[in-house]
Amino acid sequence: MRKGFLTFAAVGLLAAGSMAACGDNDGSDQAGGAKKPKIGVILPDSKSSARWETADRKFLKEAFDAAGVDSDIQNAQNDKSVFQTLADQMITNGVTVLMIVNLDSGTGKAVLERAKSQGVATIDYDRLTLGGSALYYVSFDNEAVGKLQGEGLVKCLADKGVKNPAIAYLNGSPTDNNATLFKNGYDSVLKPKFDAKEYTKAADDDVPEWDNAQAATIFEQQLTKAGGKIDGVLSANDGLGNAAISVLKKNKLNGKVPVTGQDATAQGLQNILAGDQCMTVYKAVKKEADAAAALAIGLAKGEKKDTGQTVKDPEGGRDVPAVLLEPKAIYKENVKDVVDDGYVTKDELCAGAYAKLCADAGIS
Ligand code: BGC
């Protein structure tokens, strides 16, 4: 895996050489030069997924430190005005590159514009800002993430031999473009089954701001409305999945109803080991952080590298230079891979009651 990525990165980045972006007035031309490189990062929150604080912050910091580049990594804690204030402060404090995970495209766009007007180069990290002006977008293939979730649910339902299952969707935040892409992915697998009347769609709700507590309330309502008959939950990430599992537990349905997830969080993996969650999607955040850091460091030095790929911004119509990494499906059989990759530690995953489940899953 790692080797594959390095090869890709090497091809993508070397092919471009080090074309300096001169005079294209996109903000990058002023990023390098005399200014000392400093990279600002704004993470979105620390509750919608454990990843932002446990993985992204750590891997980004390691990459900047290894390159000897100054960085300032902050978290907006799901507050749009904090998000904007942090951006203003970073710009005032002289960052040469600003990397954001937007809370919605509106504020994201305003922040990117402001940075650009101050000659600060920008990167959309993980989430594309629709109508935005970032010089790069670094993420995973998010439709592929959704496709793995849809296929995972189909596999888990087949394993349980459920006929004509009633499915509930717990989608991500409607303000996150990734949530749209995840849904496109799982719809591509599940819609043909609904159309063929092989499956029934019992519920389809977005979870505002990926809020886990709201997800539990929403799922409780879905279950009540369906008269208790929900056979599978397409949940867009591990946090939302855990919310559904908590409600299923109250109704003694956990383990009987497959639930999907994403992010390979320690909690999600524990739910898989316990048999309460069907699968998760592992996104090797280290690769995402390394790719974004390499581009940011290049921009800070006044270089604009070719990523060899673009993504169309459906709102702005722009072809945004992009790096899109491959996600991987995780089931009970390969939870071990996430530990072997160093993403979750055995100590954290296999604490207390999970020690035996870890041993059974070959995690030692
Ligand atoms: C990310 C997911 C994360 C979700 C909630 C999405 O944009 O791609 O990894 O679970 O946001 O934070």
Side-chain angles (χ1 to χ4, degrees):
M1 284 265 305
R2 186 161 169 74
K3 187 162 171 255
F5 167 69
L6 285 173
T7 311
F8 157 76
V11 169
L13 301 180
L14 283 179
S18 57
M19 302 181 329
C22 297
D24 53 0
N25 198 25
D26 55 10
S28 65
D29 47 339
Q30 293 170 54
K35 272 195 182 173
K36 187 163 183 269
K38 182 171 179 187
I39 297 160
V41 181
I42 309 179
L43 300 172
D45 68 84
S46 49
K47 292 198 181 131
S48 66
S49 173
R51 64 168 284 184
W52 306 115
E53 283 300 326
T54 62
D56 296 87
R57 177 187 289 277
K58 178 177 79 182
F59 293 130
L60 285 166
K61 175 94 173 53
E62 280 173 9
F64 296 136
D65 288 355
V69 171
D70 284 351
S71 63
D72 179 13
I73 306 176
Q74 301 284 346
N75 191 315
Q77 301 301 354
N78 198 30
D79 184 325
K80 288 172 205 148
S81 66
V82 169
F83 191 94
Q84 274 173 311
T85 306
L86 286 171
D88 285 345
Q89 284 168 352
M90 287 180 180
I91 295 169
T92 309
N93 292 339
V95 294
T96 45
V97 180
L98 180 63
M99 205 189 278
I100 63 164
V101 186
N102 73 54
L103 288 174
D104 68 356
S105 284
T107 25
K109 195 175 156 175
V111 160
L112 294 173
E113 278 304 316
R114 170 139 164 69
K116 188 177 167 183
S117 73
Q118 301 299 309
V120 174
T122 53
I123 297 180
D124 270 337
Y125 182 70
D126 201 71
R127 299 177 180 167
L128 181 67
T129 302
L130 301 182
S133 54
L135 299 175
Y136 296 110
Y137 167 51
V138 179
S139 192
F140 284 79
D141 178 341
N142 292 307
E143 285 199 1
V145 170
K147 197 155 172 268
L148 292 177
Q149 293 173 321
E151 289 166 355
L153 192 60
V154 169
K155 173 178 147 39
C156 295
L157 287 164
D159 287 352
K160 289 193 185 299
V162 188
K163 292 274 169 300
N164 195 353
I167 309 296
Y169 278 11
L170 275 180
N171 308 309
S173 174
T175 57
D176 180 352
N177 182 57
N178 284 347
T180 308
L181 299 174
F182 301 147
K183 191 174 188 193
N184 288 347
Y186 47 80
D187 264 345
S188 74
V189 177
L190 298 175
K191 195 167 173 297
K193 300 216 172 268
F194 298 135
D195 291 346
K197 309 229 175 319
E198 244 184 273
Y199 284 22
T200 308
K201 196 194 262 185
D204 182 348
D205 291 294
D206 296 343
V207 179
E209 300 169 354
W210 295 93
D211 183 308
N212 292 195
Q214 275 196 65
T217 310
I218 292 170
F219 184 66
E220 198 137 38
Q221 287 162 356
Q222 291 182 334
L223 193 61
T224 308
K225 205 165 151 229
K229 181 164 164 41
I230 285 179
D231 303 303
V233 184
L234 192 308
S235 151
N237 81 357
D238 284 355
L240 306 186
N242 189 62
I245 289 166
S246 69
V247 175
L248 290 170
K249 277 184 179 161
K250 276 205 279 180
N251 291 277
K252 305 216 167 7
L253 288 170
N254 57 309
K256 298 190 178 111
V257 178
V259 176
T260 63
Q262 171 180 189
D263 290 342
T265 58
Q267 184 182 59
L269 296 172
Q270 287 178 336
N271 283 336
I272 292 178
L273 292 176
D276 292 339
Q277 185 171 325
C278 142
M279 58 88 68
T280 186
V281 178
Y282 173 49
K283 302 191 296 190
V285 171
K286 179 170 168 32
K287 294 179 184 172
E288 188 180 18
D290 284 348
L295 292 171
I297 292 163
L299 286 175
K301 295 179 177 161
E303 298 164 8
K304 205 168 158 200
K305 295 170 178 170
D306 185 356
T307 58
Q309 192 178 2
T310 59
V311 156
K312 178 74 103 205
D313 169 356
E315 206 174 289
R318 238 175 17 114
D319 290 315
V320 188
V323 174
L324 297 182
L325 300 159
E326 277 309 303
K328 177 174 172 175
I330 301 293
Y331 298 86
K332 200 184 274 191
E333 304 78 68
N334 62 347
V335 166
K336 190 178 177 299
D337 294 358
V338 183
V339 180
D340 291 347
D341 213 31
Y343 191 70
V344 166
T345 64
K346 187 191 159 223
D347 283 356
E348 192 185 1
L349 180 64
C350 307
Y354 293 95
K356 180 168 179 336
L357 294 171
C358 274
D360 292 351
I363 303 162
S364 54

